[in-house]
Amino acid sequence: MTQPYIRLDKDNAAVLLVDHQAGLLSLVRDIDPDKFKNNVLALAAAAKYFNLPTILTTSFEDGPNGPLVPELVDMFPDAPYIARPGQINAWDNEDFVKAVKATGKKQLIIAGVVTEVCVAFPALSALEEEFEVFIITDASGTFNPITRDAAWDRMSQAGAQLMSWFGAACELHRDWRNDIEGLGALFAAHIPDYKNLIQSYSKNTASK
């Protein structure tokens, strides 16, 4: 049966950044490391641009998984930061679930490392509790395409929607007339080709 089109709504969405930790990032091999980090920071920038409640969480950061990447800490100094002492599934941590539910949002935009564990487990758990779940595929990473594709299949079959950070940002924005320069600047900062497009647009606009 065809699923209905459920759009992201900036007034009803929260962002969960799960286990983007220094040690775990070294495991990501299904996407170029520089591109991956750029995508993570682009998603974070979009969360700030749309003023979406954002929750940060880590797993066993005192062990080999390491600390959260510092850029995310700097970007969200006031966001809930749940350092899980051992729970692999973030949804098994009571403080994390409380923070999610405290946002009052029903749409959860989730990204993390690694895809089949740190992303899939809380995504499946949230779906069980009737949240609408959107997985940012290019800001989530894992060992190889085989494990990634299996995780994507598992989540999508359970009802999660798979998106890129760019697609999510466009759906949240809805209409270019809401703010051309602001969204254009966000895209230009993370997509080199888009920077060329925005520069061309700005010059043409200035000359009129």
Side-chain angles (χ1 to χ4, degrees):
M1 185 175 69
T2 302
Q3 296 293 321
Y5 176 26
I6 299 174
R7 298 189 187 195
L8 276 171
D9 179 355
K10 63 183 177 63
D11 297 320
N12 194 31
V15 174
L16 313 182
L17 299 176
V18 185
D19 301 355
H20 290 101
Q21 297 167 246
L24 292 176
L25 256 65
S26 68
L27 302 177
V28 175
R29 291 291 181 270
D30 62 324
I31 184 172
D32 176 84
D34 291 336
K35 289 180 180 178
F36 178 64
K37 192 166 187 181
N38 173 71
N39 294 340
V40 173
L41 297 180
L43 173 60
K48 288 186 71 70
Y49 174 77
F50 291 107
N51 197 30
L52 304 181
T54 301
I55 298 170
L56 311 174
T57 186
T58 57
S59 171
F60 195 42
E61 63 179 44
D62 293 332
N65 293 348
L68 193 69
V69 295
E71 292 93 335
L72 295 179
V73 177
D74 292 343
M75 289 178 74
F76 300 100
D78 301 319
Y81 184 139
I82 313 301
R84 309 190 314 279
Q87 298 97 339
I88 293 174
N89 181 351
W91 210 265
D92 289 339
N93 182 280
E94 189 175 315
D95 292 332
F96 179 78
V97 176
K98 283 182 179 178
V100 172
K101 293 183 177 179
T103 67
K105 311 302 182 182
K106 291 300 292 181
Q107 295 186 334
L108 303 181
I109 300 169
I110 305 178
V113 182
V114 294
T115 307
E116 67 269 31
V117 176
C118 307
V119 178
F121 292 175
L124 294 168
S125 299
L127 286 164
E128 279 289 297
E129 297 201 26
E130 299 186 348
F131 286 89
E132 295 170 2
V133 173
F134 300 78
I135 304 301
I136 306 304
T137 56
D138 53 357
S140 302
T142 188
F143 306 105
N144 56 59
I146 295 173
T147 55
R148 176 197 66 203
D149 292 351
W152 286 355
D153 285 347
R154 187 183 189 195
M155 289 185 284
S156 62
Q157 287 173 16
Q161 294 195 49
L162 308 183
M163 303 185 73
S164 67
W165 74 261
F166 181 79
C170 288
E171 193 160 83
L172 288 163
H173 200 59
R174 297 287 179 91
D175 191 320
W176 269 111
R177 292 168 295 183
N178 290 330
D179 178 18
I180 298 172
E181 277 70 26
L183 191 67
L186 191 160
F187 290 165
H190 295 281
I191 305 173
D193 291 341
Y194 218 97
K195 184 175 182 179
N196 297 334
L197 183 153
I198 290 296
Q199 287 177 339
S200 174
Y201 166 79
S202 298
K203 287 179 181 178
N204 290 336
T205 303
S207 64
K208 291 180 181 179

